[in-house]
Amino acid sequence: MTLDPPEAIDDTSWLAVKGGTVEAIVRVLALSNPQPATWSRGIEIIGGNDEDCPDDWPQLAGVYITPIVRGWRLAIGDYLGAGPMTRDSDDQRTSWRRVAGWCRRLSREFGEAHAFTDQAQMDWFAWVLANDGTVLRQAVFEDGEFLSDRGLPSGVEARLVARFRPDELGDYWRPDVGHVPAIAGEHSINPCRLGPRTRTVGQGFVALTPWGRQQSRRVPQST
């Protein structure tokens, strides 16, 4: 397979696992049928833009597991988004408690594992930071409120909070465009800064999620 260069990613969710293996990510996230895929092909599939994706919630059918990037392996896709614990019956998103569990398990195995959601159009942001099996910081924000806010802000987040001044939009700091990628960059990789010059090691894969299996769709073969 001809490898293509990385592309910047935004408006999605992802996990960053330090030195993580494809096998471990597939196992912990309950994925199946991993198939080799280029970066551009992986992004196409997780966007739901493939004929083999289901008609209902197509963006939840697959996850793209990247090659190693600066010592980190990313798993990308809306399936990884930390959603509300309680939601409508037709909301198929993953709860933040499950996402935090993934981070705990993967960080126990690899030392560090973090989850991020950056979907400004939905006013949905999240970051879950775990080291050695313990979640140190967990923040899930949607529709103007924190659904989960555990642990103390530090680093980039703490500076953003400290600079905030109450205004007509609210009297407390809330995440906005660019904040989650900046937090991700401090703890792992800022995915908005990936590009053709970014060096990678190894092969990328797409894998089927439980939602994809439930919809009886297969992961599209690489091309």
Side-chain angles (χ1 to χ4, degrees), residues 5-121:
E7 304 173 19
I9 62 170
D10 57 14
D11 199 33
T12 189
S13 299
W14 69 97
L15 262 63
V17 185
K18 191 171 186 179
T21 64
V22 174
E23 294 78 9
I25 292 172
V26 167
R27 168 173 41 84
V28 171
L29 272 57
L31 305 176
S32 60
N33 194 29
Q35 301 286 332
T38 62
W39 196 288
S40 57
R41 181 67 169 157
I43 298 303
E44 175 187 34
I45 291 168
I46 65 171
N49 302 314
D50 187 274
E51 62 182 10
D52 282 319
C53 291
D55 296 330
D56 190 21
W57 291 82
Q59 70 276 18
L60 296 182
V63 165
Y64 178 54
I65 303 171
T66 73
I68 292 288
V69 182
R70 300 173 189 157
W72 294 81
R73 194 181 298 276
L74 307 182
I76 310 169
D78 284 1
Y79 169 66
L80 309 173
M85 285 297 300
T86 303
R87 52 200 183 279
D88 295 338
S89 59
D90 62 347
D91 189 339
Q92 300 297 327
R93 289 180 295 169
T94 305
S95 72
W96 56 256
R97 183 169 294 169
R98 177 170 294 179
V99 173
W102 292 338
C103 290
R104 282 194 298 270
R105 291 174 62 186
L106 287 166
S107 70
R108 190 178 299 120
E109 188 168 349
F110 296 101
E112 295 184 55
H114 314 307
F116 304 96
T117 290
D118 181 35
Q119 300 215 19
Q121 294 183 7

Side-chain angles (χ1 to χ4, degrees), residues 167-182:
D167 55 24
E168 65 278 5
L169 297 179
D171 56 3
Y172 64 92
W173 177 80
R174 61 194 64 201
D176 205 345
V177 175
H179 290 172
V180 172

Side-chain angles (χ1 to χ4, degrees), residues 116-172:
F116 304 96
T117 290
D118 181 35
Q119 300 215 19
Q121 294 183 7
M122 298 174 62
D123 196 28
W124 178 26
F125 305 93
W127 51 103
V128 180
L129 311 175
N131 286 24
D132 299 323
T134 300
V135 173
L136 303 178
R137 177 71 175 123
Q138 178 175 287
V140 182
F141 182 93
E142 185 177 37
D143 293 337
E145 65 175 328
F146 280 96
L147 307 181
S148 179
D149 188 5
R150 301 174 59 186
L152 296 176
S154 64
V156 168
E157 182 188 359
R159 291 192 290 274
L160 289 168
V161 174
R163 288 199 296 265
F164 173 77
R165 296 295 179 269
D167 55 24
E168 65 278 5
L169 297 179
D171 56 3
Y172 64 92

